[in-house]
């Protein structure tokens, strides 16, 4: 039955109640059929009762209210599951989850053999375009079937509020959809699907909705989304007299009801009751349909409205008779489920059947509700109505039986060969398939454990691993076979470097569900960390056997192959993965690293990484690699920019802090180098000797030698033979007067690592300080034989030759130092000194002047020039200039008083 309604205010829907005369008279509303443009608008995580047409009085949804005024509203529409991909698959196919096999996000795929609305309408000559707003609906999950354009580019607008699931705000999705509509010709039929994700947790509406709904951010998201719906509907191709519009929710949000904050764990109407509004040109206006309907009815209804018949067997049925007001003697049952508790935690699967006002929930503790009297599902009537509960359970079983394989999944099962491989690797016991040792917990009875696991995950994101471990242990004490809890515990233990403990937790998770690919990947990562690369590769291959489309597995296999030195095999894997998904940002980033950077094509790698980051600005790996590519191309400033951009998106990434800190430390003089190096150490997952050594070097340069020595000792306590720490510790010894200790250490290093150019160069420098010219020359030559481009060694060779009076050879060495590194100003200074010593005074002055172009505050260069111009070159004006510059740069220099007296004789205005 249907009821004619009145108007809709901006904040509330007003309609008159049904009367007995309406029912008896069967008000008939003409519903025209025919070919026309179609907009399917799906609203993620949107509760019906938070929209004005469904009674909400404190959430502004004028666009949705106007849509209901101009069309027809189903009061009791039900989702097939409180899970995005599952619900959307049923919306697009008219099939229940047992029929299409999609039971969870990120694990299952829409099978190619089912027919989607887009496929059917494309065959009928419709243009087809889809614009989705969240990663759970990316094309890899199969809903792109039949769409000529499937826009899942989530890069635009993601700065607004990055979430656990990659998404884009309604404004960006609507803009993309409107641009597509601009390209549709006049009178050309089209099927446009727009999916909006905004009310999904975490709730973060933009201003002004953030301010208007500051204590109700979920409602603020809905109000913001409504404003964007108004923008979409304002497009001329979607005019009310032209386009058929179907607005439907995929599922709701619990908001604390029954102890659940979000959705997917429980099967109550807080998440299963969804809005559904239809606006049809020349169709019924302001009409409400009180009969219960299901998302599986949408596809056959839409086809009927277009004058088309559904192909094949579908679970849903056309609702056009209901829309026209014709009665139905028996209301069909409606099925819903949530399998997420099973796949995520190993808890019981929940199924429900609804017939008329009655709803039965099949759970370890069954539930029965009379929704006409108890819409919040607070009073379980199983005990009072055992006969009705029995009948509904029987009907549920018959419905599932009619669906064929009620447990159908569209992911691969663990075949016998794969199981034997796991047993061969030592991860599965021989015998019956692993499972829980006791009954699976009823989700509603252990919902508090879910809350505890969510709290642990937040602690993990905040890198409070010890606190997260305690939370997880508390959950596992009550539910020791909780799959997600064991996986999270393994990850937490791995992050703390406790690989053996992590392995045991991961093995237990794998034994509970060997079909879950991500358990294999976790095991593979731990085994790789333990250095067992072949074992790791076998586990990755098992994950890919279960799910050949799993991008994480493709990336991990590439990474492990690189670690194993099999770069050609790694390149083949990533090329094949990229051929399947050429626009995937992560795959492109890995390709840039494994292929382009490895081949030295840094320009191509830079371009590919920038394109990947344009699609996914939160791909931290991309920012790391972009900085690395730019460092290799000697573009230090551009590399610094990349690292800083990455830290804007992920300020707790220890590797980005390390890379930026190391870059700044090498460049010298930037105090933020210490900040980033210390952050890298605070955030580290593993011991970072390179960061400790770099921090020590920076501290030593700042004169904080004792702190530097402490950093080196930290490294040597863990890695006694660490070459960098030993070399730098020797430098610190040398600077603090412990010359013999430093030289002894360098000699040991030279004996152990005869190919270390830096050690020989340091021995050369030590010999120079003691004026052992021939010894210094010998070490400098050894350094240059190992590293011909080492500017410091060329400069030290020049000093050694200068000390022996071999000025021509000294000049040659200094010039080679400058050719190796034009920024190594010390070589330029030494060259100028040698020119002065050999009597080439004009050339010496020119060399000092050239040095000052890049080093305008170099006190020693100004002093040399002051001496030259005050003495043999006889240029009083220049002597005064350089004397003043020297005094400004080094007022406490030992020669400052002498220079000041001399300058006073040259000019009374010298002490500027």
């Amino acid at each position: 039955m249907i009821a004619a309604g009145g108007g809709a205010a901006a904040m509330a829907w007003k309609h008159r109640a049904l009367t007995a005369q309406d029912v008896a008279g069967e008000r008939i509303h003409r519903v025209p059929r025919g070919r026309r443009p179609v907009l399917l608008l799906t609203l993620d995580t949107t509760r019906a009762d938070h929209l004005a047409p469904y009674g909400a009085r404190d959430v502004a949804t004028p666009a949705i209210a106007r849509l209901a005024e101009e069309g027809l509203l189903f009061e009791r529409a039900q989702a097939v599951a409180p899970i995005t991909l599952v619900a959307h698959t049923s919306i697009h196919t008219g099939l229940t989850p047992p029929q299409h096999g999609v039971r969870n996000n990120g694990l299952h795929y829409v099978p190619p053999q089912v027919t989607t609305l887009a496929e059917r309408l494309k065959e009928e000559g419709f243009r087809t375009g889809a614009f989705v707003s969240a990663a759970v609906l990316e094309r890899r999950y199969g809903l792109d079937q039949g769409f000529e354009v499937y826009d899942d580019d989530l890069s635009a607008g993601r700065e607004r509020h990055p979430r656990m699931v990659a998404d884009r705000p309604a404004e960006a999705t609507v803009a993309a959809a409107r641009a597509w509509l601009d390209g549709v010709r006049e009178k050309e039929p089209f099927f446009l699907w727009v999916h909006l994700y905004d009310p999904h947790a975490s709730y973060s509406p933009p201003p002004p909705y953030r301010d208007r709904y500051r204590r109700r951010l979920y409602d603020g998201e809905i109000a913001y989304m409504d404003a964007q719906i108004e923008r979409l509907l304002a497009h001329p191709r979607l005019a009310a007299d032209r386009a058929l519009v179907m607005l439907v929710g995929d599922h709701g949000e619990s908001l604390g009801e029954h102890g659940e904050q979000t959705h997917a764990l429980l099967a109550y109407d807080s998440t299963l009751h969804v809005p559904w509004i239809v606006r049809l040109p020349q169709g019924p206006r302001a009409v409400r349909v009180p009969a219960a309907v299901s998302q599986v009815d949408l596809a056959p209804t839409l086809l009927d409205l277009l004058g088309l018949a559904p192909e094949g067997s579908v679970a849903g049925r056309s609702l056009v008779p209901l829309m026209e007001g014709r009665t139905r003697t028996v209301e069909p049952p409606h099925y819903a489920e949530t399998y997420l508790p099973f796949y995520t935690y190993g808890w019981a699967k929940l199924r429900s059947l609804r017939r008329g006002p009655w709803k039965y929930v099949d759970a370890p503790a069954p539930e029965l509700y009379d929704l006409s009297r108890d819409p919040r599902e607070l009073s379980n009537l199983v005990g009072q109505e055992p006969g009705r509960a029995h009948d509904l359970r029987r009907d549920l079983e018959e419905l599932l039986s009619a669906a064929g394989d009620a447990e159908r999944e569209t992911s691969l099962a663990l075949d016998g060969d794969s199981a034997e491989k796991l047993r061969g690797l030592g991860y599965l016991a021989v015998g019956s398939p692993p499972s829980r040792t006791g009954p699976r917990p009823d989700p509603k009875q252990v919902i508090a454990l879910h809350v505890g696991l969510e709290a642990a995950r937040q602690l993990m994101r905040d890198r409070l691993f010890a606190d997260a471990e305690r939370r997880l242990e508390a959950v596992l004490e009550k539910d020791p076979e909780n799959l997600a809890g064991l996986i999270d515990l393994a990850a937490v233990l791995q992050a703390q470097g406790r690989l053996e403990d992590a392995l045991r937790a991961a093995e237990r998770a794998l034994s509970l569900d060997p079909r879950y690919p991500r358990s294999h990947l976790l095991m593979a990562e731990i085994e790789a960390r333990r250095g067992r690369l072949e074992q790791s590769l076998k586990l990755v291959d098992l994950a890919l056997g279960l799910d050949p489309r799993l991008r994480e597995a493709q990336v991990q296999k590439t990474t492990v192959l690189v670690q194993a030195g099999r770069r050609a095999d790694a390149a083949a894997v990533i090329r094949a993965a990229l051929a399947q998904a050429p626009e995937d940002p992560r795959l492109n980033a890995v390709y840039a690293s494994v292929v382009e950077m490895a081949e030295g094509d840094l320009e191509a790698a830079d371009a590919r990484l920038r394109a990947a980051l344009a699609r996914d600005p939160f791909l931290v790996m991309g920012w790391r690699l972009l900085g690395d590519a730019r460092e290799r191309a000697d573009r230090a400033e551009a590399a610094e920019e990349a690292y800083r951009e990455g830290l804007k998106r992920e300020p707790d990434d220890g590797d980005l802090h390390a890379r930026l800190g190391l870059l700044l430390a090498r460049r010298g003089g930037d105090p933020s180098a210490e900040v980033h190096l210390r952050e890298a150490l605070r955030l580290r997952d593993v011991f970072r000797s390179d960061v400790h050594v770099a921090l020590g070097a920076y501290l030593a340069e700042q004169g904080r030698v004792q702190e530097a020595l402490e950093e080196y000792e930290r490294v040597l306590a863990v890695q006694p033979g660490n070459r960098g720490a030993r070399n730098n510790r020797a430098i610190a010894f040398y600077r603090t007067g412990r010359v013999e200790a430093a030289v002894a250490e360098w000699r040991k290093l030279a004996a152990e690592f005869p190919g270390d150019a830096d050690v020989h160069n340091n021995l050369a420098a030590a010999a120079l300080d003691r004026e052992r010219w021939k010894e210094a020359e010998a070490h400098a030559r050894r350094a240059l034989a190992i590293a011909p481009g080492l500017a410091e060694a060329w400069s030290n060779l020049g000093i050694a030759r200068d000390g022996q009076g071999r000025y021509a050879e000294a000049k040659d060495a200094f010039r080679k130092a400058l050719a190796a590194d034009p920024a190594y100003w010390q070589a330029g200074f030494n060259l100028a000194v040698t020119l002065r010593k050999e009597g080439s005074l004009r050339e010496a002055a020119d060399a000092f002047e050239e040095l000052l172009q890049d080093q305008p505050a170099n006190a020693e260069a100004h002093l040399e020039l002051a001496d030259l111009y005050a003495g043999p070159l006889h240029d009083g004006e220049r002597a005064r200039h350089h004397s003043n510059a020297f005094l400004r740069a080094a007022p406490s220099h030992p020669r400052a008083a002498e220079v000041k007296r001399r300058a006073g004789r040259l000019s009374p205005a010298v002490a500027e």
Side-chain angles (χ1 to χ4, degrees):
M1 293 299 282
I2 53 177
M11 296 295 287
W13 176 266
K14 298 178 181 178
H15 67 283
R16 70 179 178 83
L18 281 172
T19 67
Q21 288 75 18
D22 290 327
V23 176
E26 287 194 4
R27 280 179 175 265
I28 303 298
H29 299 267
R30 180 176 177 78
V31 175
R33 292 172 172 84
R35 188 182 179 94
R36 54 175 52 86
V38 177
L39 168 65
L40 173 60
L41 182 58
T42 59
L43 311 185
D44 211 297
T45 325
T46 302
R47 285 180 65 127
D49 59 2
H50 282 239
L51 305 178
Y54 288 88
R57 297 183 177 278
D58 52 359
V59 188
T61 55
I64 296 174
R66 191 175 307 111
L67 200 66
E69 282 182 0
E70 297 170 351
L72 176 146
L73 176 149
F74 292 103
E75 292 183 336
R76 292 193 291 149
Q78 176 176 285
V80 297
I83 302 169
T84 297
L85 181 62
V86 184
H88 277 90
T89 305
S90 290
I91 289 170
H92 281 273
T93 64
L95 301 174
T96 62
Q99 292 174 308
H100 57 61
V102 178
R103 320 306 280 264
N104 200 12
N105 288 338
L107 187 60
H108 300 138
Y109 306 92
V110 181
Q113 61 268 27
V114 305
T115 301
T116 65
L117 276 171
E119 288 177 298
R120 181 65 198 285
L121 295 178
K122 188 175 184 181
E123 289 175 357
E124 297 291 334
F126 281 68
R127 296 280 305 277
T128 54
F131 298 84
V132 301
S133 298
V136 291
L137 294 178
E138 286 178 335
R139 69 183 67 232
R140 58 171 156 160
Y141 298 116
L143 275 176
D144 62 329
Q145 295 172 203
F147 284 105
E148 61 186 72
V149 171
Y150 195 90
D151 185 340
D152 57 356
D153 181 358
L154 306 179
S155 59
R158 286 185 62 204
E159 300 277 4
R160 187 170 66 91
H161 49 87
R163 293 164 170 159
M164 289 177 61
V165 174
D167 72 295
R168 60 177 167 181
E171 183 175 0
T173 309
V174 166
R178 284 178 60 93
W180 183 80
L181 284 171
D182 289 342
V184 176
R185 296 193 302 271
E186 187 75 20
K187 296 185 179 180
E188 187 174 22
F190 62 82
F191 172 53
L192 169 62
W193 170 34
V194 176
H195 160 255
L196 304 180
Y197 190 74
D198 300 85
H200 200 284
S202 57
Y203 318 124
S204 184
Y209 307 97
R210 190 175 192 84
D211 300 321
R212 294 176 189 166
Y213 298 90
R214 61 189 304 176
R215 302 187 191 282
R216 296 181 293 121
L217 293 177
Y218 173 76
D219 290 339
E221 291 277 30
I222 289 176
Y224 161 73
M225 181 174 65
D226 182 86
Q228 298 308 314
I229 291 171
E230 186 170 24
R231 282 185 59 232
L232 177 62
L233 295 176
H235 195 282
R237 292 288 185 274
L238 298 176
D241 61 346
R242 302 177 62 179
L244 188 165
V245 177
M246 280 207 179
L247 177 150
V248 66
D250 68 341
H251 57 76
E253 189 82 318
S254 284
L255 300 179
E257 292 187 30
H258 301 277
E260 183 180 34
Q261 290 300 318
T262 55
H263 57 271
L265 260 295
L266 304 178
Y268 297 109
D269 270 18
S270 54
T271 60
L272 291 177
H273 180 210
V274 293
W276 186 358
I277 298 170
V278 181
R279 189 190 74 186
L280 184 67
Q282 291 82 48
R285 294 174 58 88
V287 168
R288 302 172 73 86
V289 178
V293 297
S294 169
Q295 287 172 334
V296 295
D297 300 326
L298 188 144
T301 301
L302 178 56
L303 292 172
D304 193 359
L305 289 171
L306 295 174
L308 303 171
E311 292 181 352
S313 176
V314 296
R317 65 204 70 201
S318 171
L319 302 180
V320 172
L322 276 178
M323 296 168 67
E324 291 181 333
R326 286 178 258 155
T327 58
R328 180 176 284 161
T329 54
V330 178
E331 192 171 276
H334 296 299
Y335 172 82
E337 69 176 35
T338 178
Y339 277 24
L340 182 138
F342 171 79
Y343 289 115
T344 303
Y345 298 137
W347 295 346
K349 301 171 181 177
L350 299 181
R351 307 177 185 88
S352 74
L353 192 73
R354 182 179 197 159
R355 188 188 289 280
W358 294 96
K359 177 180 174 182
Y360 175 79
V361 181
D362 182 29
E367 299 168 79
L368 178 69
Y369 299 102
D370 180 355
L371 298 177
S372 64
R373 303 178 63 183
D374 180 21
R376 297 287 182 185
E377 297 162 285
L378 302 176
S379 300
N380 184 358
L381 301 178
V382 164
Q384 293 94 311
E385 296 276 357
R388 194 179 298 275
H390 170 84
D391 292 347
L392 286 171
R393 179 179 177 83
R394 179 199 60 216
D395 293 347
L396 175 60
E397 291 172 350
E398 290 176 352
L399 183 148
L400 293 173
S401 177
D405 180 5
E407 297 305 317
R408 180 183 291 111
E409 301 176 41
T410 53
S411 62
L412 297 179
L414 186 75
D415 58 31
D417 183 53
S418 297
E420 285 306 315
K421 286 180 182 177
L422 276 179
R423 292 188 180 99
L425 292 171
Y427 300 128
L428 281 185
V430 178
S432 58
S435 63
R436 278 187 176 259
T437 55
R440 296 191 180 277
D442 190 326
K444 63 179 173 287
Q445 295 173 343
V446 288
I447 191 69
L449 297 183
H450 167 71
V451 175
L453 288 166
E454 288 296 297
R457 289 181 190 125
Q458 184 59 54
L459 291 168
M460 291 168 68
R461 288 191 288 272
D462 292 339
R463 304 186 65 82
L464 299 172
F465 297 121
D467 294 336
E469 182 184 351
R470 283 191 289 273
R471 286 269 191 169
L472 291 167
E473 292 287 7
V475 170
L476 290 167
E477 184 178 354
K478 297 176 181 176
D479 186 18
E481 296 179 319
N482 188 294
L483 180 61
L486 286 165
I487 290 173
D488 287 347
L489 179 62
V492 162
L493 293 168
Q494 183 187 10
Q496 297 177 82
R498 293 158 56 189
L499 298 183
E500 296 301 322
D501 293 338
L503 186 65
R504 283 190 288 274
E507 285 175 341
R508 182 61 181 143
L510 189 63
S511 71
L512 288 173
D513 187 0
R515 300 176 308 157
Y516 188 49
R518 286 177 172 80
S519 294
H520 297 76
L521 289 187
L522 177 62
M523 289 287 298
E525 186 177 343
I526 295 170
E527 293 290 32
R529 286 274 298 273
R530 297 172 76 212
R532 301 174 66 184
L533 300 182
E534 287 305 314
Q535 192 93 330
S536 178
L537 282 171
K538 291 174 182 176
L539 287 160
V540 175
D541 282 338
L542 285 168
L544 286 168
L546 288 164
D547 186 352
R549 305 188 195 187
L550 191 59
R551 306 272 170 81
E552 295 90 331
Q554 294 165 337
V555 168
Q556 195 156 331
K557 183 170 184 177
T558 305
T559 302
V560 177
L561 285 169
V562 169
Q563 289 178 275
R566 296 166 57 185
R567 189 168 289 275
D569 292 337
V573 170
I574 196 62
R575 280 194 178 98
L578 201 57
Q580 296 172 0
E583 294 184 346
D584 183 84
R586 182 177 295 275
L587 295 181
N588 274 284
V590 175
Y591 183 87
S593 171
V594 172
V595 178
E596 291 167 335
M597 290 171 68
E599 294 174 353
D601 194 348
L602 300 178
E603 187 175 344
D606 192 289
R608 183 180 296 274
L609 289 165
R610 283 187 283 108
L613 289 165
R615 279 186 67 88
D616 185 359
F618 292 89
L619 182 63
V620 175
M621 175 180 67
W623 294 111
R624 293 179 197 143
L625 290 171
L626 183 60
D628 186 17
R630 290 174 172 179
E631 282 199 73
R632 295 189 195 189
D634 294 324
R635 299 171 58 204
E637 290 185 3
E640 178 185 346
E641 179 185 2
Y643 296 142
R644 292 192 186 279
E645 285 296 318
L647 285 169
K648 287 179 185 177
R649 275 81 177 184
E650 183 46 77
D652 288 337
D653 187 81
D655 194 30
L656 278 173
H657 281 290
R659 289 169 183 265
L660 179 57
L662 291 167
L663 175 66
L664 296 173
R666 283 192 296 271
R667 195 161 65 195
D670 191 328
S672 66
E674 179 181 359
V675 174
H676 290 290
L677 291 171
R678 291 195 183 280
E679 273 297 281
L681 293 173
R682 183 181 72 84
L683 297 167
R684 70 178 185 270
D685 291 335
V686 295
F687 184 75
R688 291 291 303 262
S689 60
D690 59 334
V691 177
H692 282 289
V693 170
L695 178 58
Y698 174 83
L699 294 170
E701 288 292 335
Q702 304 303 309
R704 296 155 63 185
V705 179
Q706 187 55 44
E707 292 177 73
L709 285 169
E710 291 172 4
E711 294 301 322
Y712 304 142
E713 294 300 338
R714 287 189 179 98
V715 174
L716 295 171
V718 178
Q719 302 171 357
N722 187 285
R723 198 186 329 179
R726 290 169 64 190
N727 179 59
N728 284 14
R729 182 177 65 174
I731 293 172
F733 286 164
Y734 198 86
R735 287 176 174 171
T736 53
R738 299 166 65 183
V739 176
E740 293 306 320
V743 172
E745 183 66 76
W746 282 325
R747 284 178 176 154
K748 286 181 186 175
L749 285 168
E752 293 176 40
F753 307 101
D756 190 321
D758 287 333
V759 169
H760 287 292
N761 188 54
N762 288 338
L763 284 167
L768 289 175
D769 284 349
R770 291 177 289 176
E771 298 187 355
R772 297 179 180 177
W773 310 120
K774 291 187 179 296
E775 180 183 338
E777 182 174 1
H779 283 296
R781 286 183 178 280
R782 288 193 195 102
L784 290 167
I786 299 163
L790 188 60
E792 294 91 336
W794 281 113
S795 185
N796 285 340
L797 178 61
I799 297 170
R801 288 171 170 175
D802 178 281
Q804 298 173 70
R806 294 153 54 192
Y807 296 136
E809 295 175 76
K811 290 187 294 180
D812 179 66
F814 293 136
R815 288 184 175 118
K816 285 179 176 174
L818 289 168
D821 183 1
Y824 190 58
W825 64 267
Q826 292 90 337
F829 183 89
N830 292 337
L831 173 62
V833 171
T834 297
L835 288 166
R836 174 178 57 76
K837 289 170 71 174
E838 73 168 5
S840 302
L841 303 183
R842 184 69 262 170
E843 287 183 65
D846 290 343
F848 283 124
E849 293 280 11
E850 185 178 351
L851 169 65
L852 288 171
Q853 295 298 314
D854 295 323
Q855 297 274 325
N858 191 305
E860 293 296 336
H862 283 296
L863 178 59
E864 289 277 358
L865 285 166
D867 287 343
L868 282 169
Y869 289 129
L873 294 181
H874 304 296
D875 189 330
E877 186 65 32
R878 289 189 177 183
R880 285 193 297 272
H881 167 73
H882 287 292
S883 295
N884 286 329
F886 165 73
L887 291 168
R888 285 194 298 270
S892 58
H893 191 280
R895 288 192 60 196
E898 171 201 339
V899 172
K900 191 170 185 179
R901 284 194 300 272
R902 183 178 68 190
R905 293 192 295 272
L906 293 169
S907 167
V910 69
E912 297 172 0

